[in-house]
Amino acid sequence: MITGDLKNKIDRIWETFWTGGITNPLDVIEQFTYLLFIKQLDEVETQREADAAILGYEPDKIFPDEAQEYRWSKFKNLGDAAKMYELIQNKVFPFIKNLHSDSESAYSRYMGDAIFKIPTPGMLSKVVDGIDGLGLDEANDGGDSKGDLYEYLLSKVATAGTNGQFRTPRHIIKMMVDMVQPNPGDTIIDPAMGSAGFLIEAQNYLRQHHSDLFMDDDQREHFNNNMFYGNDMDTTMLRIGAMNMMLHGVENPNISYRDSLSESNADEEKYSLVLANPPFKGSLDAEAVAANLLKVTKTKKTELLFLALFLRILKKGGRAAVIVPDGVLFGSSKAHKQIRKEIIENNKLTAVVSMPSGVFKPYAGVSTAILFFTKTGAGGTDNVWFYDMKADGFSLDDKRQPVQENDIPDIVARYGNLEAETNRKRTEQSFVVPVEEIKNNDYDLSINKYKEIEYVPV
């Protein structure tokens, strides 16, 4: 989590933008991100030079010899604000926009229309000093301080809640990724990707658990070019997501501006893993929705349509770990029942993890659950594992302070050994329910339907 000291520093930078006339929070985040990106390119280059010096080879250069003055470590010490401003505006910024201009990469598509908006040398100088003083050292923290920094910046976007864009907390994403265990052969998509949190976490997991994939040319090629896919409808988020992926070392992520639910999305049986927290609140113009999704569940509710989409875009045997609002689990409309029946009868539902309603605070107080299922096209649901998560390591109020209670390690461990769960009682925090019982209950997946409560006499 981000500390008070770091928060204050970020707030001061934010205030510099604000008082300098950049008042739209997304503009602030974007300009902030560009500068962070420029700084991190320099850090990546410095790290490469150090590695190359130890191993005695010539490093791959991001900054060619004639562009050395564009490096953060060089221009931050110029001492002349006007000179630095001119250099960044006329040289450094065009340089980062054209980093991949030779290719059709996501980066070049979304950076093409990036605009440098900082109006004055004095303001730029303050912001550069501020970012330089943040002390974000990627090497020592597994790269998560940047994620936390993004979370914090995004939490300042007052619009974040209104257009359904609230962030998925990092520790919940990590839990889901640890449970599905991505492997080097996977093709992974988040069809509502935001700033690409799920994709970043999946690549972290692969680096930690399958580092040998980088020794294999084919696997490395797959990792950099064809493993990660993300769609979103917001170009600012796409830009932030593309920069985020590149900074985490995925060279060419497939990030597209696309309404995943519309006819224009023709993906079918293409991916082996879906990780997502699709937007809940929206209801859509039914005309725009792809006809083959409406066949599965006739509805305008985005959360149901996204489930139908996941089933369509997964290959046979592909897995999904997705967050849904509680209503999906017990909603009694025909559309709700249709989609639950489709997942349970025609595919394999493995697990339902119910989360407490504070998990998404301060953005939203909705109760949610995570569904884990595999696309089979031929049924296969036998027993469904339920877990009642009561604590996620943070207080469940708007403050979300770290606390001792945390079910996440238990959830990951038990999910990894479902055989051992079959004998647990319904009064425990996790238990197994046979599929017949779920069918007889109108495919209801809310844990309270099956949980038994022990009344202890007072």
Side-chain angles (χ1 to χ4, degrees):
M1 285 297 280
I2 212 160
T3 58
D5 182 38
L6 190 51
K7 263 190 187 145
N8 294 339
K9 287 177 175 172
I10 296 168
D11 289 345
R12 280 201 292 278
I13 299 170
W14 190 278
E15 208 166 287
T16 306
F17 277 111
W18 201 255
T19 50
I22 298 183
T23 49
N24 173 349
L26 279 173
D27 281 345
V28 178
I29 292 176
E30 217 171 357
Q31 300 301 310
F32 207 129
T33 308
Y34 296 149
L35 289 166
L36 272 179
F37 185 67
I38 292 167
K39 178 170 188 277
Q40 266 150 341
L41 283 175
D42 184 30
E43 282 163 18
V44 170
E45 181 93 316
T46 308
Q47 185 62 48
R48 281 185 190 175
E49 288 168 347
D51 294 347
I54 294 167
L55 299 168
Y57 63 88
E58 197 52 42
D60 282 342
K61 283 190 172 168
I62 302 172
F63 298 91
D65 292 341
E66 68 278 8
Q68 286 295 309
E69 58 172 348
Y70 302 170
R71 293 174 66 165
W72 182 277
S73 50
K74 300 276 196 296
F75 68 65
K76 73 171 187 190
N77 298 323
L78 267 174
D80 179 337
K83 263 194 186 142
M84 178 163 80
Y85 186 80
E86 196 187 344
L87 180 75
I88 292 180
Q89 187 176 27
N90 300 331
K91 301 277 178 62
V92 182
F93 202 73
F95 173 76
I96 66 159
K97 281 177 63 159
N98 294 318
L99 267 181
H100 284 252
S101 56
D102 52 336
S103 69
E104 247 303 278
S105 73
Y107 181 76
S108 59
R109 280 206 299 279
Y110 301 112
M111 289 303 282
D113 52 1
I115 301 167
F116 180 67
K117 290 185 178 166
I118 295 177
T120 63
M123 177 174 167
L124 178 66
S125 168
K126 265 191 182 158
V127 173
V128 166
D129 288 348
I131 290 177
D132 205 56
L134 287 177
L136 291 178
D137 187 359
E138 285 298 308
N140 302 335
D141 67 355
D144 220 29
S145 66
K146 190 162 65 247
D148 289 337
L149 171 73
Y150 266 136
E151 300 300 308
Y152 181 57
L153 285 176
L154 292 162
S155 73
K156 288 171 153 302
V157 182
T159 54
T162 52
N163 47 18
Q165 280 188 340
F166 50 85
R167 305 288 144 244
T168 316
R170 287 311 265 254
H171 58 287
I172 301 294
I173 292 179
K174 184 174 188 317
M175 171 183 86
M176 290 165 67
V177 170
D178 287 346
M179 288 165 80
V180 293
Q181 301 182 349
N183 63 62
D186 272 325
T187 305
I188 304 169
I189 185 165
D190 179 350
M193 67 162 230
S195 57
F198 280 104
L199 301 178
I200 302 275
E201 196 49 61
Q203 69 85 35
N204 278 345
Y205 182 92
L206 286 159
R207 285 179 194 281
Q208 282 166 7
H209 296 86
H210 296 281
S211 53
D212 48 352
L213 79 85
F214 297 102
M215 305 299 179
D216 178 309
D217 289 349
D218 292 346
Q219 286 188 347
R220 191 176 63 239
E221 169 76 12
H222 175 62
F223 178 89
N224 279 318
N225 298 298
N226 303 311
M227 184 181 266
F228 300 101
Y229 287 79
N231 302 337
D232 207 283
M233 299 271 292
D234 178 334
T235 41
T236 307
M237 293 320 293
L238 287 166
R239 253 200 294 274
I240 289 173
M243 285 192 272
N244 211 352
M245 289 296 280
M246 278 186 65
L247 287 171
H248 280 85
V250 179
E251 287 168 16
N252 191 10
N254 299 278
I255 287 175
S256 324
Y257 176 77
R258 176 192 268 183
D259 176 353
S260 293
L261 298 175
S262 71
E263 286 286 2
S264 68
N265 180 2
D267 290 351
E268 207 162 314
E269 306 217 341
K270 183 172 174 182
Y271 308 101
S272 62
L273 178 57
V274 168
L275 288 162
N277 175 14
F280 302 165
K281 288 212 187 70
S283 69
L284 293 166
D285 166 17
E287 266 60 89
V289 176
N292 55 10
L293 298 182
L294 294 171
K295 276 199 196 102
V296 182
T297 174
K298 192 151 177 45
T299 179
K300 289 182 178 178
K301 284 195 172 300
T302 48
E303 62 267 33
L304 302 181
L305 290 164
F306 266 104
L307 286 171
L309 174 77
F310 301 152
L311 288 171
R312 188 188 85 199
I313 63 180
L314 279 171
K315 296 172 177 166
K316 294 260 163 54
R319 348 192 263 303
V322 298
I323 297 176
V324 295
D326 264 5
V328 170
L329 306 179
F330 54 78
S332 55
S333 79
K334 194 170 161 210
H336 280 90
K337 287 181 195 168
Q338 259 178 324
I339 192 69
R340 293 198 300 264
K341 180 177 181 182
E342 179 64 31
I343 292 174
I344 293 165
E345 294 246 318
N346 298 333
N347 296 284
K348 181 175 168 54
L349 177 66
T350 323
V352 179
V353 175
S354 282
M355 297 195 286
S357 62
V359 168
F360 286 103
K361 283 186 173 169
Y363 308 114
V366 284
S367 291
T368 52
I370 309 170
L371 299 181
F372 293 87
F373 57 88
T374 302
K375 174 173 175 171
T376 60
T381 307
D382 42 18
N383 288 320
V384 178
W385 182 66
F386 285 83
Y387 195 108
D388 186 10
M389 182 204 282
K390 296 194 167 105
D392 68 342
F394 297 91
S395 63
L396 296 170
D397 53 15
D398 282 358
K399 292 222 168 45
R400 299 291 275 146
Q401 307 285 7
V403 294
Q404 282 298 299
E405 296 72 45
N406 187 358
D407 293 331
I408 290 177
D410 188 47
I411 294 173
V412 175
R414 288 181 184 282
Y415 184 76
N417 183 15
L418 290 178
E419 314 288 287
E421 293 288 294
T422 41
N423 302 324
R424 281 169 67 85
K425 295 196 191 72
R426 298 274 176 100
T427 47
E428 307 200 53
Q429 238 180 315
S430 67
F431 52 81
V432 164
V433 178
V435 68
E436 287 309 316
E437 190 180 334
I438 294 174
K439 287 182 186 172
N440 296 337
N441 273 313
D442 250 347
Y443 302 98
D444 192 317
L445 293 175
S446 52
I447 192 161
N448 296 334
K449 193 86 176 168
Y450 307 103
K451 199 162 82 174
E452 289 167 14
I453 294 167
E454 276 183 292
Y455 289 102
V456 182
V458 177

